[in-house]
C-alpha cells in the first residue's frame, strides 16, 4: 500500500532532500522548505512536548537563522559586485 505524506518516511525524505540542497549550496530557501515539511510531520507524529521534536525545533530554528544570514550576505555581495 502507498504511504501517505504524514508517514515518518516522508519526514526522513524531506530532511534528506533539504540536506542535499543545503550542502550543495544550490537553494537555501528551498532547503528550508523541505526542512519545514519534515518538522511539521515530526511535530504531528511526536507531539509538541516530545524531546525529539523539541531538539528538532531547536536545530530547525538555528538552521533558519543561518540560511537567512547566508542569503543576506549573498545578496549584499551580489549588489556590491563582490561575487
Amino acid at each position: 500500500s502507498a504511504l501517505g505524506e504524514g508517514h515518518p518516511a516522508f519526514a526522513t525524505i524531506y530532511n534528506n532532500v533539504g540536506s542535499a540542497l543545503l550542502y550543495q549550496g544550490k537553494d537555501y530557501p528551498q532547503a528550508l522548505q523541505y526542512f519545514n515539511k519534515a518538522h511539521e510531520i515530526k511535530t504531528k507524529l511526536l507531539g509538541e512536548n516530545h524531546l525529539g521534536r523539541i531538539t528538532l525545533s531547536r536545530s530547525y530554528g538555528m538552521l533558519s537563522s543561518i540560511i537567512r544570514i547566508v542569503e543576506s550576505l549573498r545578496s549584499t555581495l551580489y549588489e556590491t559586485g563582490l561575487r
Side-chain angles (χ1 to χ4, degrees):
S1 70
L3 303 177
E5 223 180 298
H7 190 277
F10 273 85
T12 301
I13 291 167
Y14 288 141
N15 189 68
N16 291 346
V17 172
S19 294
L21 290 170
L22 179 68
Y23 291 124
Q24 291 174 359
K26 289 189 175 185
D27 192 345
Y28 294 121
Q30 184 68 33
L32 190 57
Q33 288 178 2
Y34 280 104
F35 286 128
N36 188 39
K37 286 182 181 183
H39 181 258
E40 288 172 6
I41 292 169
K42 287 288 188 179
T43 299
K44 286 179 186 175
L45 293 172
L46 300 175
E48 290 289 326
N49 297 320
H50 189 278
L51 181 60
R53 204 231 30 112
I54 293 168
T55 302
L56 181 64
S57 291
R58 191 173 3 166
S59 297
Y60 174 76
M62 287 188 301
L63 179 62
S64 296
S65 297
I66 291 167
I67 289 173
R68 281 194 297 274
I69 291 167
V70 168
E71 285 298 305
S72 176
L73 289 171
R74 242 189 206 175
S75 177
T76 301
L77 290 174
Y78 180 78
E79 289 171 5
T80 58
L82 298 174
R83 295 183 251 153

